[in-house]
Amino acid sequence: VKSEGPKLVPFFKATCVYFVLWLPTSSPSWFSALIKCLPIFCLWVFLLAHGINFLVSHRSASRILAGLIFSAVGDAFLIWQEQGYFIHGLLMFAITHILYSSAFGMKPLDLKAGLLMGLVSSSCYAFLYSYLSGPFTYLVAVYIALIGFMGWRAVAGMQLCNDLWTWTKLSACIGAMLFIVSDLTIALNKFCFPVPYSRFIIMATYYAAQMLIALSAVESRDEEDFRKRS
């Protein structure tokens, strides 16, 4: 907390600015896009503050940074989703989940966690299926598969049952789950029925998810510092 907390102060301030201004979604503009993306920009700075050498030498951290970049582009597209840019935003976040999955890695495999996430993802899609039409029938299926896979890799990496978890792995796991909650709320609100306080739920869980996933990138640095001290 002492080492990483101060670097996250700009993120918390930018998030507060977003919720205080609460710009109407009915009048999209570049200013509203900037305010929405500002917390994600601050997470770029958070990772860059650890040094370029750190990002270059640790692929997981650089992939999470790349995921945050695609997330910001996706956020900008979703500002104009009613003007036909929803699919563009969907594509950007699909790439984000691929990058995050790659950052979390494939070891350990943990097939039980994969089966659980597969069942959850399948259940979500089965519920949404009757509300979907046209290209969304397939696009949403692919997107749910990708975010479910990302969730699996985050859960598998925690290794809670083996007592090998670290605070950064726990951070990645909670962040992935919050990302799923955020995106599921978007899907329910857009395709199924109005969700009360949907925008607040979506953005609060989304910003928290991105912050926690960004925090998970510093694990390799912690391990390196521990080895040096040893």
Side-chain angles (χ1 to χ4, degrees):
V1 173
K2 289 181 179 179
S3 62
E4 304 302 334
K7 300 186 187 77
L8 285 170
V9 169
F11 165 79
F12 289 120
K13 289 182 177 179
T15 302
C16 289
V17 168
Y18 173 83
F19 284 108
V20 168
L21 292 182
W22 204 243
L23 298 172
T25 56
S26 56
S27 54
S29 66
W30 285 108
F31 179 70
S32 59
L34 174 63
I35 296 301
K36 184 182 181 184
C37 295
L38 193 57
I40 307 302
F41 295 158
C42 291
L43 291 178
W44 297 4
V45 176
F46 167 74
L47 289 179
L48 290 169
H50 290 82
I52 299 298
N53 291 336
F54 169 72
L55 293 173
V56 171
S57 59
H58 298 92
R59 292 183 179 180
S60 60
S62 59
R63 288 168 184 170
I64 288 175
L65 176 60
L68 288 169
I69 292 171
F70 278 99
S71 293
V73 177
D75 282 332
F77 276 129
L78 291 181
I79 287 288
W80 286 276
Q81 60 178 293
E82 299 302 327
Q83 285 72 35
Y85 288 97
F86 182 80
I87 292 178
H88 298 73
L90 198 69
L91 176 61
M92 293 298 103
F93 280 107
I95 296 172
T96 294
H97 296 317
I98 292 171
L99 288 165
Y100 286 169
S101 299
S102 178
F104 298 149
M106 290 302 296
K107 294 180 181 180
L109 195 59
D110 196 347
L111 293 177
K112 290 182 180 179
L115 178 60
L116 177 61
M117 289 305 302
L119 289 173
V120 171
S121 299
S122 299
S123 299
C124 291
Y125 182 69
F127 179 83
L128 292 169
Y129 181 78
S130 60
Y131 295 94
L132 301 173
S133 60
F136 285 115
T137 304
Y138 310 101
L139 292 173
V140 172
V142 173
Y143 188 86
I144 288 177
L146 289 174
I147 195 171
F149 184 83
M150 186 270 291
W152 168 32
R153 297 323 309 150
V155 172
M158 190 170 62
Q159 302 183 71
L160 186 60
C161 295
N162 297 330
D163 199 26
L164 295 174
W165 66 278
T166 63
W167 73 268
T168 45
K169 289 178 179 177
L170 180 62
S171 176
C173 182
I174 297 174
M177 295 303 104
L178 288 174
F179 217 134
I180 291 173
V181 171
S182 179
D183 281 355
L184 181 59
T185 306
I186 290 176
L188 291 174
N189 192 66
K190 183 173 182 64
F191 300 114
C192 303
F193 48 79
V195 176
Y197 308 106
S198 59
R199 185 181 173 192
F200 176 80
I201 295 170
I202 290 165
M203 297 310 299
T205 53
Y206 170 69
Y207 286 140
Q210 294 283 38
M211 180 196 70
L212 290 169
I213 291 173
L215 270 172
S216 73
V218 305
E219 178 175 24
S220 50
R221 176 173 178 167
D222 290 343
E223 292 175 347
E224 181 180 321
D225 290 344
F226 177 78
R227 285 195 299 269
K228 288 180 179 178
R229 288 195 300 269
S230 300

